[in-house]
Amino acid sequence: MKLAVRTHRLLTPLQELRDAVILIDGDRIEAVGRCDNTPIPEGFEVWDVGDRIVAPGFIDIHVHGGNGFFAREGAEAVQEISKWLATTGTTSWLATIGDLEGIKGAVEALKQGIVGASVEGIHGEGPFLYPKYLPGDSNAPPPAAEISVFHELLEAAEGHMLMMDCSPDLPGGLELIREIRRSGVVASFAHGEADYELFMRAVEAGVRHVTHTYNVMTGMHHRRPGAVGAALTCDQLMCELNADGFHVDAVAMDVLIRCKGLDRVCLISDMQAAAGLPDGEYDWSDRVIDGEFEWVGVKLIKKGGMVRLAGQNADTDGTISSSVWPVRNGVYNLVRDVGLSLKDAVRLATINPAVAVGLDARIGSLEPDKRADLVVIDEEVNIHLAMVAGEVMYRAG
């Protein structure tokens, strides 16, 4: 299909073009520019979206699930999540999984071919995480970060493992980080009690990414800068930000972006299966037992925009369990609550996550020869259309 999409406003996202057009030939972008100097060739169908905004499709490199499914449940679950994600404006994602069987299921989905948001690879959040921050016995001894287990997961991923998390305070953590880096996978800090000094040793070992910055890590004190202080000041790191409005206060979002700049922060959702479902209590303990943690007997309560682990006072002070808001909500929150321009907020949800995992040569921005992944949105970041590789995967109404 040869298509010309005209708009009064286009975000590349590094530039904002007025009265612009994007030419799409098949699954690729042929040209992007202002209408007055980008002629539409004969044979191109013209879509005029008027005052609505054309932007790159959102990229979410940290997604556990959505619409009733966890990615670790297998190929069918991954397919269902992909279909639903496209309705939220996410056109590419990393299946975030921490166990062997879950990884095999995601690889099987990739072999089948994905309909909906494109699965670009796997983000391994688990099993190399400090146990204090996981359901179950917080007094359990930390597991060893075994290189042999990482290689087993890496082999099962069949070349699709793009990122692996590790707590450097685990026994063998620094050695594992070196091996992750050596293997060509992005090593990310996650779920740990490391202080500033240990965190910086992890950076020396190869950590280049920070999973959901601020959350489940040592905070910043003026005499103990902690992991957060290291993340804010180390220029080698790309920092994830969950801007759902619940995990990180708007002031802390602002601090992160001011410290890191617009090119070293990427929006993520950290969504789980309850995303897209109504409020209520959910029990997936018979479906999801994995290497990240033991789910037997664990119930989740979704209420008021959050999901917490069920238990005493779960409605108000139970442990928050991931998120239920897609990246599009984070984009909107950065504009409304932090004061970013829409262009800059979109940047954090498109080209930055693509750069973080080495995908920016083919997705993440509207440029010639890149894959034709785009969204049509309005000022409130409502999704009117989502396109993946030149095919419309979602159209509002």
Side-chain angles (χ1 to χ4, degrees):
M1 181 178 182
K2 295 179 183 292
L3 179 65
V5 181
R6 298 183 60 169
T7 175
H8 290 313
R9 188 177 177 194
L10 183 145
L11 310 176
T12 67
L14 299 182
Q15 291 181 296
E16 180 169 335
L17 303 178
R18 298 287 178 162
D19 296 320
V21 63
I22 177 169
L23 304 180
I24 298 168
D25 189 349
D27 64 349
R28 299 286 156 181
I29 297 172
E30 182 175 302
V32 179
R34 289 178 51 84
C35 291
D36 56 9
N37 58 19
T38 309
I40 299 174
E42 186 177 349
F44 274 65
E45 182 178 351
V46 179
W47 293 358
D48 194 328
V49 301
D51 291 332
R52 289 175 179 164
I53 303 156
V54 175
F58 301 142
I59 300 171
D60 193 345
I61 61 174
H62 190 151
V63 188
H64 296 281
N67 205 31
F69 297 91
F70 280 101
R72 57 178 171 263
E73 292 185 80
E76 181 181 354
V78 171
Q79 297 282 11
E80 292 298 324
I81 295 165
S82 285
K83 293 174 186 175
W84 179 74
L85 280 174
T87 70
T88 74
T90 295
T91 57
S92 298
W93 64 294
L94 298 190
T96 304
I97 300 169
D99 69 295
L100 184 63
E101 291 306 311
I103 288 171
K104 290 179 179 178
V107 171
E108 177 59 30
L110 284 161
K111 292 177 179 178
Q112 293 171 359
I114 303 295
V115 177
S118 172
V119 179
E120 297 296 332
I122 296 167
H123 174 174
E125 189 183 19
F128 311 114
L129 305 178
Y130 202 81
K132 176 180 178 180
Y133 301 111
L134 303 177
D137 184 5
S138 62
N139 296 316
E146 297 182 12
I147 290 176
S148 61
V149 174
F150 167 66
H151 280 292
E152 188 177 17
L153 300 176
L154 190 64
E155 182 178 356
E158 298 185 22
H160 297 292
M161 182 73 73
L162 299 188
M163 182 179 291
M164 175 59 71
D165 293 357
C166 183
S167 306
D169 34 342
L170 295 179
L174 292 176
E175 290 77 10
L176 178 57
I177 288 167
R178 293 187 187 97
E179 185 62 16
I180 294 169
R181 181 70 171 174
R182 190 199 65 78
S183 72
V185 175
V186 177
S188 183
F189 174 91
H191 290 249
E193 293 194 315
D195 59 14
Y196 176 87
E197 288 73 21
L198 179 55
F199 190 108
M200 294 309 297
R201 288 173 62 196
V203 172
E204 291 177 5
V207 162
R208 293 295 178 269
H209 193 85
V210 182
T211 295
H212 45 53
T213 310
Y214 291 116
N215 301 127
V216 289
M217 64 182 64
T218 53
M220 183 174 177
H221 183 275
H222 60 282
R223 286 191 293 271
R224 297 179 299 279
V228 168
L232 291 173
T233 58
C234 181
D235 292 338
Q236 293 172 278
L237 298 169
M238 177 74 81
C239 290
E240 292 181 0
L241 173 61
N242 186 341
D244 66 355
F246 298 95
H247 280 74
V248 180
D249 186 85
V251 173
M253 296 183 206
D254 192 17
V255 169
L256 180 65
I257 294 167
R258 286 173 186 250
C259 287
K260 303 300 294 184
L262 291 171
D263 60 342
R264 305 303 292 171
V265 178
C266 62
L267 285 179
I268 53 94
S269 70
D270 197 10
M271 281 193 305
Q272 54 127 291
L277 300 183
D279 284 2
E281 183 174 297
Y282 295 94
D283 182 359
W284 285 294
S285 59
D286 60 337
R287 287 166 39 191
V288 288
I289 302 171
D290 65 21
E292 184 179 345
F293 49 78
E294 184 67 54
W295 279 83
V296 173
V298 174
K299 296 182 180 180
L300 304 171
I301 294 175
K302 180 181 181 184
K303 183 178 180 181
M306 286 189 290
V307 174
R308 298 181 183 271
L309 300 181
Q312 186 176 10
N313 298 322
D315 282 356
T316 58
D317 58 10
T319 301
I320 296 177
S321 176
S322 303
S323 176
V324 291
W325 299 102
V327 163
R328 68 143 303 270
N329 289 71
V331 173
Y332 177 67
N333 290 341
L334 287 181
V335 175
R336 182 192 62 185
D337 300 332
V338 181
L340 261 61
S341 68
L342 182 59
K343 176 177 72 72
D344 289 342
V346 166
R347 176 178 181 174
L348 271 58
T350 55
I351 190 62
N352 287 8
V355 168
V357 290
L359 299 174
D360 52 304
R362 56 190 181 88
I363 60 173
S365 58
L366 301 180
E367 297 180 66
D369 298 324
K370 287 195 174 183
R371 197 171 71 199
D373 294 358
L374 62 83
V375 289
V376 177
I377 59 177
D378 56 31
E379 292 285 354
E380 285 71 45
V381 202
N382 296 305
I383 309 300
H384 296 276
L385 181 143
M387 177 182 290
V388 179
E391 292 191 43
V392 174
M393 294 297 172
Y394 171 74
R395 189 194 301 268

